[in-house]
Amino acid sequence: MLTAAMVAIAVGMMTIVAYWTVSSTLRESVDKDLATEASALLQQAVQPTTMVDAQKVVDNFRLYNSATRVSIRLPASSFVIGDDIPQLTSAESAGTDAVMATVDGERIYSKRSESGATVLLARDMTSLNQLITSLGLVLLLVGLFGIFLAIAAGMMVAKAGLRPIRRLHAAVDRVRRTDELRPIEVIGNDELADLTCGFNEMLEALENSRRRQADLVADAGHELKTPLTSMRTNIELLMMMQRSGGVGISEEDRQALERDVIAQMEELSTLIGDLVDLARDDVPETSLEQVDLLEVIDDALMRVKRRRPDVQFKTNTTPWYLDGDTHGLGRAILNLLDNAAKWSPHDGVVRLAMTPLFDGTVEITVADSGPGIPEEDREKVFERFFRSVQARSTPGSGLGLAIVKQTIERHGGTITAGESSDGGAEMRVVLPGFAMPGELEKSRLGAGRKRKNRRS
């Protein structure tokens, strides 16, 4: 509608200007013709021969200008030769030798010479006015047709331009109604095609998120089912013993059942905690704090040593600081050390080393003396619930390394699995940060100044 209104205004203005220009030009051409003819007659009127036979001059003029009436008044004479043309009023001719006016549909031109001779020419303007009126009607029809054509073209262009948006709207409505995340066909290579590609990427991300959620729920249900079934069986046995007064089972077996129930409850609690940590969203930027990585490692080492007093721990650490989540990093380091201690044999050695790199990062390696990770499984160990053939006979949920990877990547780092110097497993973590807390503060101030400059 806006396009049609603008086109209507433009066409209307062009029509008015064209009509005014053409009509003015036609009328001016009539005036020029009359002025030229009057000048020629006036020159003849003052000739001696014309003074004798003025009627002949008038007849010759009529012969070649049938559409124009003419009258001549000779000098020092009140007698008019020719047609009866209305005399222009004195107000119109006062002080001038030539005057032009429209009287009763005729264009009248009067010119007087210095000798007193006067020529009057009158031309009927009916045909010219009809021509101008016809021209106005034609311009009006052309303008209306142009407006209609603009409206039709605008509707077609708008419909064609909005078709991808309608497809997007239909896709959104289809997702709302059917919960189906099928991608939309991309047509062309313009901005709307880019918008469609972005929408398809969003649908793909939603589909991947839904798939991961479904996998998490299915895997979690499968992992929870085993300890729940075992614990239920043990509890039912204990209930049967209670009803029978303990007949048929020894005290040692009863205590073993109780220990199994407690161990299975701890396993369930650990598994649920791992699932909560794994499903937790990324920590918002406002909750980040300065983390002393050395302090986090020391705390995790103290806890692991209490669990595995039969394993030796060797460390080579250096001060390091970064912005992050203390709890999440502590849980990740604890999982790495727990995993290394679990696979180390009696009197085995777990080695942790920190090495600052030249690109503003630090490398943390955790190596054990266990059987190691097969090369084909080194990428899979970070997947949820993945457990290698060697690990399936040991307790665990298969979520520890997945939690570690998620936490490390959330802090802008990377983690890879490899082989240690004595054939065990080695986890290599690279994290950003600074060796001194003062450098971290300078970086924060510099980033703040940059943000202020961008805002200003």
Side-chain angles (χ1 to χ4, degrees):
M1 294 304 296
L2 179 61
T3 303
M6 297 301 296
V7 171
I9 293 174
V11 171
M13 293 179 63
M14 291 176 61
T15 302
I16 293 172
V17 171
Y19 177 79
W20 178 80
T21 302
V22 173
S23 60
S24 299
T25 302
L26 291 175
R27 288 190 174 93
E28 287 178 1
S29 67
V30 172
D31 292 346
K32 288 181 180 179
D33 289 345
L34 291 177
T36 302
E37 293 169 355
S39 297
L41 283 173
L42 198 58
Q43 290 178 1
Q44 295 180 23
V46 296
Q47 298 294 326
T49 56
T50 306
M51 302 288 290
V52 176
D53 194 1
Q55 185 63 45
K56 185 176 180 180
V57 174
V58 171
D59 292 340
N60 288 334
F61 180 83
R62 288 173 176 170
L63 182 63
Y64 295 103
N65 301 276
S66 58
T68 304
R69 297 196 302 150
V70 60
S71 66
I72 299 176
R73 187 176 64 187
L74 298 176
S77 174
S78 60
F79 183 72
V80 177
I81 300 172
D83 297 313
D84 183 16
I85 300 175
Q87 297 290 325
L88 298 180
T89 62
S90 57
E92 294 171 336
S93 59
T96 62
D97 61 350
V99 66
M100 188 171 290
T102 301
V103 179
D104 296 332
E106 285 185 320
R107 191 67 172 169
I108 299 177
Y109 182 78
S110 174
K111 188 170 184 179
R112 184 177 60 231
S113 67
E114 294 179 355
S115 63
T118 303
V119 173
L120 282 172
L121 296 178
R123 181 173 296 180
D124 189 8
M125 300 292 289
T126 302
S127 59
L128 181 62
N129 290 333
Q130 289 177 350
L131 176 62
I132 292 175
T133 302
S134 300
L135 176 64
L137 291 175
V138 170
L139 289 174
L140 179 62
L141 292 176
V142 170
L144 292 175
F145 178 75
I147 294 173
F148 173 77
L149 188 62
I151 293 175
M155 291 177 64
M156 292 177 61
V157 171
K159 185 177 180 180
L162 293 176
R163 189 175 295 116
I165 297 180
R166 290 194 182 96
R167 289 201 301 271
L168 291 178
H169 183 273
V172 172
D173 188 61
R174 186 189 71 237
V175 171
R176 179 184 59 82
R177 289 184 291 101
T178 65
D179 205 28
E180 179 184 358
L181 302 178
R182 187 174 69 250
I184 307 169
E185 181 184 2
V186 180
I187 300 176
N189 56 357
D190 54 2
E191 289 80 2
L192 291 175
D194 293 339
L195 178 61
T196 305
C197 291
F199 193 81
N200 286 339
E201 291 175 359
M202 182 187 69
L203 291 178
E204 183 180 0
L206 288 174
E207 180 66 24
N208 292 334
S209 177
R210 178 191 293 175
R211 188 182 303 110
R212 287 194 301 269
Q213 182 182 17
D215 292 343
L216 177 63
V217 172
D219 293 339
H222 175 74
E223 293 296 327
L224 288 169
K225 183 177 180 181
T226 301
L228 279 174
T229 302
S230 178
M231 186 170 63
R232 177 180 176 178
T233 302
N234 291 334
I235 291 175
E236 288 177 348
L237 287 174
L238 289 173
M239 292 173 62
M240 291 174 59
M241 290 170 51
Q242 182 69 23
R243 286 196 297 267
S244 63
V247 179
I249 189 170
S250 64
E251 180 65 21
E252 182 180 353
D253 291 338
R254 186 184 64 80
Q255 292 178 358
L257 285 174
E258 291 176 354
R259 285 194 300 269
D260 285 345
V261 170
I262 293 174
Q264 288 152 3
M265 291 176 64
E266 291 178 352
E267 183 180 354
L268 279 174
S269 178
T270 302
L271 178 58
I272 292 172
D274 289 344
L275 288 172
V276 171
D277 286 342
L278 195 62
R280 186 177 60 179
D281 292 335
D282 291 349
V283 179
E285 185 178 354
T286 54
S287 67
L288 298 182
E289 58 183 355
Q290 180 177 319
V291 179
D292 184 348
L293 195 58
L294 187 56
E295 183 179 339
V296 171
I297 291 175
D298 290 340
D299 182 66
L301 275 171
M302 189 165 34
R303 295 173 62 182
V304 176
K305 286 178 180 179
R306 289 198 298 264
R307 300 177 186 176
R308 288 297 305 272
D310 58 324
V311 175
Q312 298 181 33
F313 293 88
K314 292 183 179 181
T315 60
N316 181 17
T317 58
T318 184
W320 196 260
Y321 302 86
L322 72 156
D323 275 337
D325 174 23
T326 303
H327 173 76
L329 286 171
R331 181 65 182 273
I333 299 297
L334 181 63
N335 282 351
L336 287 176
L337 292 173
D338 258 338
N339 197 62
K342 180 175 69 174
W343 290 103
S344 294
H346 183 71
D347 291 333
V349 180
V350 174
R351 301 172 296 282
L352 185 146
M354 295 177 63
T355 306
L357 304 179
F358 294 104
D359 57 352
T361 59
V362 65
E363 180 186 73
I364 305 172
T365 57
V366 178
D368 60 51
S369 304
I373 304 173
E375 187 173 355
E376 64 273 12
D377 292 339
R378 289 175 186 173
E379 292 293 332
K380 301 177 183 178
V381 293
F382 299 106
E383 298 178 3
R384 298 173 179 178
F385 300 106
F386 175 81
R387 304 190 70 191
S388 62
V389 177
Q390 298 92 331
R392 290 172 187 172
S393 59
T394 61
S397 63
L399 293 175
L401 291 179
I403 295 172
V404 172
K405 182 179 181 181
Q406 177 176 287
T407 303
I408 296 302
E409 290 180 347
R410 192 169 66 231
H411 286 79
T414 59
I415 180 171
T416 54
E419 184 178 357
S420 65
S421 58
D422 56 356
E426 180 182 77
M427 296 295 170
R428 181 177 179 271
V429 175
V430 178
L431 283 172
F434 300 89
M436 299 295 292
E439 297 180 17
L440 187 61
E441 295 298 330
K442 290 178 184 178
S443 175
R444 290 174 177 170
L445 292 174
R449 292 193 190 99
K450 290 180 181 179
R451 286 193 293 268
K452 289 180 181 178
N453 292 334
R454 285 196 295 268
R455 287 194 295 268
S456 62

